[in-house]
Amino acid sequence: MDVVIPCPAVRTSPATGGELHLAGPWRIATTDHRLTTVARTVRALLEPHLGDRLLPPSADDGTPDHGGPGTGPAVLVLALDAESPAPDRAPVGVSPRGTAEPVDESHRLTVTRRGITCRAATPEGVFRAATTAIQLLAASTDRTPCQELSDAPRHAWRGLMVDPARGYLTPGELRRVIDLAALYKLNVLHLHLTDNEGWRLQLPSVPELTSDRADGSPGSLGEYYTVEDYRALQDYAADRFVTVVPEIDLPGHCAALRAALPDLPAAPAPEGLAGRFPFVPPLDLADPATKAVVTSVLTEVCRLTDGPFVHIGGDEAVGMTADSFVLAVRELRACVRAAGKRPLAWQESSRAGIGAEDIVQYWVDVPMMDLPDTEEELAGRPDLLAAGHTLDLIRALRQFFAPADEDLARVLDGGGRVLLSPQSHLYLDRPYPPDVIPAEQAESVSRLGFATYRPRGVRPTAAWDPTSHGVPDARIAGIEATLFGESIEGLDDLTVLLLPRLTSVAEAAWSGRAPEWEAHRARVARHARLWQDRGLSYLASTEIPWP
């Protein structure tokens, strides 16, 4: 059975046929010292699936072959091979590792009756092949056909954003998320580290941001990543060829920062806004004290970050004038660049001007928000009513988000790059509809997801086509799923919202197209075993033919 996600581009079978029995025992072999770390990482990823069927490292003697079938353990061989298949087209987008050209991740995987061989021209390509091998071992039954699989990515940036600012995840839980991302060939973990609800990164230059506050005001509340946590997390991710991108969300979404530093003035507000709707006043980057704090924060975040990118936020800055917002975005960009990193920001930042070096994360337009127009339509949206939405509030939301309809054109006209994260399909904090939730999960799953999003199941996410937004290939930075943490109370909540939907995002990001639904759902069904081995909760959606 075909179990690999993303589905390999080329699959061939030998004329002699045959099968590989997967029971093992298994050993890992490589003769190249450049793959020592890759071999160690692959072993760690395999352990939950093979257990004592994975022989100890002492058995990994570096010999890539050994007799015939049945004469010894099966072997997973990792090999650098300059003649491995080069991609038939260059990947689209920006390398998350900051290289001028994306790293070659093309690879070939050969299954014989004696084992599996992973070949590529680069260690990263070998690792991608090895994740395919891990899926074969974890999601297949007791055997798999002899075959050769060749593959290469369509998109260079394949990301997942999680939100510990609202739904804190321990460093150990984040490592499990990194493992999951790597197994599906994602290569970016975007950490939304700050928001109104919390500040999750220790910065010794501004210790107030993670000091405990007895009044219960927004902030760290004792849960944050120390400098040592953050550095160790980046090292762990790098071993899996995943780049960590931190986000410090400014100038809005700043209640936690304001609670720690309460004397910073509010940004100038638009006339007539005060008193109509509640909002946290954004920061005023024209204020010298505010600018000094923000400069200190971003400079230290850049210093602590190994990767080349730092995300500055820039979304939903409710309560500041257009001029004040433009100034803030320009100051934030300049600060990150002065510290030697490349800034990313949400699409609203395009209103501060766009150049060829700018990358914006596209997430919303008004049609995508799916808002009702009349009281009758609102009455048919229990999700919005339960969240306290009135028609007056919905009209205000339409007005506030109206400029978003032009953001994509602004980016393209200005020569910038687009990181595709459309709310309609790639926001995985969207609730599941009741009709796809099995009865035994109804109570635990029904509370998950952002209440104002119309619920959607697995199939709508799988239907997303990366080309549907009309962004030319040369202007796509990459693809990134997001999962904001308003309803998250732990790792189980997070993975139930991610799985099975993350699999189709990984498919689209790697292959550049939506998967064929019937074949995809059959492959997804086999991955329940992989998730169970790893202790990951998931939605047993009725859309999937689980074994």
Side-chain angles (χ1 to χ4, degrees):
M1 169 161 304
D2 179 9
V3 300
V4 178
I5 300 173
C7 185
V10 179
R11 182 191 307 269
T12 58
S13 300
T16 55
E19 292 180 322
L20 168 65
H21 291 259
L22 302 176
W26 282 82
R27 67 184 182 91
I28 298 171
T30 180
T31 58
D32 196 312
H33 71 277
R34 291 171 293 177
L35 295 176
T36 300
T37 299
V38 173
R40 183 174 64 245
T41 303
V42 170
R43 167 173 291 280
L45 289 170
L46 266 174
E47 283 174 347
H49 307 291
L50 294 183
D52 59 10
R53 292 186 293 140
L54 181 60
L55 296 177
S58 59
D60 300 346
D61 62 7
T63 305
D65 209 348
H66 66 277
T71 63
V75 187
L76 176 60
V77 179
L78 308 178
L80 286 172
D81 183 353
E83 296 184 4
S84 286
D88 59 0
R89 59 188 176 191
V92 171
V94 173
S95 166
R97 293 168 64 181
T99 54
E101 297 295 331
V103 176
D104 182 4
E105 298 176 79
S106 62
H107 56 265
R108 177 182 291 121
L109 181 140
T110 305
V111 180
T112 71
R113 290 180 293 165
R114 294 180 293 186
I116 302 174
T117 300
C118 302
R119 293 187 180 89
T122 65
E124 192 159 344
V126 172
F127 180 76
R128 301 299 176 217
T131 63
T132 296
I134 293 168
Q135 289 189 25
L136 286 173
L137 288 166
S140 300
T141 53
D142 60 343
R143 63 192 68 192
T144 191
C146 294
Q147 57 191 305
E148 187 165 87
L149 309 176
S150 299
D151 212 356
R154 177 59 174 157
H155 293 280
W157 182 300
R158 308 177 302 276
L160 170 65
M161 190 218 80
V162 296
D163 176 18
R166 295 184 178 94
Y168 182 72
L169 299 166
T170 68
E173 289 170 334
L174 283 179
R175 287 193 287 272
R176 293 176 71 186
V177 173
I178 290 169
D179 286 346
L180 178 66
L183 285 170
Y184 290 106
K185 297 183 173 62
L186 302 180
N187 61 358
V188 173
L189 180 69
H190 170 175
L191 293 176
H192 188 79
L193 290 167
T194 74
D195 213 295
N196 292 329
E197 294 80 359
W199 189 284
R200 306 301 180 193
L201 180 61
Q202 178 190 39
L203 298 176
S205 65
V206 193
E208 300 93 333
L209 292 169
T210 48
S211 62
D212 293 329
R213 289 187 284 282
D215 64 357
S217 57
S220 73
L221 303 181
E223 297 178 321
Y224 59 87
Y225 309 116
T226 66
V227 168
E228 292 74 20
D229 290 335
Y230 184 56
R231 285 178 170 151
L233 189 73
Q234 292 179 91
D235 290 342
Y236 187 90
D239 284 347
R240 287 144 182 81
F241 298 96
V242 172
T243 299
V244 173
V245 175
E247 180 183 353
I248 305 299
D249 197 357
L250 300 171
H253 291 275
C254 59
L257 185 149
R258 287 197 171 283
L261 303 167
D263 296 329
L264 299 179
E271 225 176 289
L273 183 65
R276 287 189 66 202
F277 305 104
F279 62 89
V280 176
L283 299 179
D284 182 8
L285 270 292
D287 171 64
T290 302
K291 182 177 178 181
V293 167
V294 169
T295 298
S296 180
V297 164
L298 289 178
T299 300
E300 189 155 22
V301 171
C302 290
R303 181 179 64 82
L304 295 174
T305 298
D306 297 331
F309 297 95
V310 169
H311 202 299
I312 59 174
D315 64 315
E316 298 179 325
V318 182
M320 67 191 307
T321 63
D323 288 346
S324 179
F325 177 72
V326 166
L327 182 147
V329 170
R330 290 177 177 174
E331 291 286 357
L332 295 170
R333 286 175 179 162
C335 182
V336 169
R337 287 183 173 127
K341 300 296 182 182
R342 190 170 176 184
L344 276 75
W346 298 102
Q347 70 183 68
E348 292 94 323
S349 64
S350 64
R351 301 165 207 173
I354 284 289
E357 287 300 303
D358 290 314
I359 300 175
V360 301
Q361 194 159 0
Y362 174 62
W363 70 280
V364 73
D365 56 31
V366 173
M368 205 185 295
M369 296 176 72
D370 193 20
L371 295 171
D373 291 311
T374 66
E375 291 287 0
E376 291 75 19
E377 291 178 1
L378 178 59
R381 293 288 301 277
D383 49 328
L384 297 181
L385 292 172
H389 279 46
T390 64
L391 204 58
D392 187 36
L393 175 58
I394 288 168
R395 286 170 180 153
L397 286 171
R398 281 185 185 278
Q399 183 176 358
F400 177 75
F401 280 100
D405 290 353
E406 306 302 324
D407 285 339
L408 191 56
R410 263 188 284 271
V411 177
L412 297 179
D413 290 347
R417 297 267 203 149
V418 180
L419 184 58
L420 292 171
S421 297
Q423 176 200 97
S424 55
H425 293 85
L426 299 197
Y427 269 46
L428 303 185
D429 50 329
R430 186 176 291 275
Y432 290 104
D435 62 328
V436 309
I437 302 173
E440 62 271 19
Q441 289 188 277
E443 184 176 352
S444 61
V445 174
S446 61
R447 65 175 179 80
L448 297 179
F450 191 48
T452 59
Y453 292 158
R454 189 190 291 273
R456 286 186 180 145
V458 180
R459 187 168 188 173
T461 303
W464 180 65
D465 178 358
T467 68
S468 63
H469 304 280
V471 181
D473 283 352
R475 308 295 290 284
I476 295 176
I479 290 172
E480 188 169 290
T482 73
L483 204 165
F484 286 97
E486 289 91 348
S487 65
I488 300 297
E489 296 178 3
L491 182 65
D492 286 349
D493 289 348
L494 181 89
T495 59
V496 165
L497 287 170
L498 283 178
L499 301 171
R501 293 185 289 199
L502 184 66
T503 60
S504 62
V505 178
E507 183 78 51
W510 180 267
S511 71
R513 61 184 181 274
E516 194 280 318
W517 171 243
E518 290 301 327
H520 179 69
R521 68 195 285 261
R523 290 196 299 274
V524 169
R526 310 304 303 183
H527 282 241
R529 177 181 168 190
L530 183 153
W531 304 330
Q532 290 162 1
D533 285 350
R534 306 193 74 81
L536 299 175
S537 299
Y538 63 96
L539 180 76
S541 170
T542 59
E543 301 159 280
I544 305 298
W546 307 104

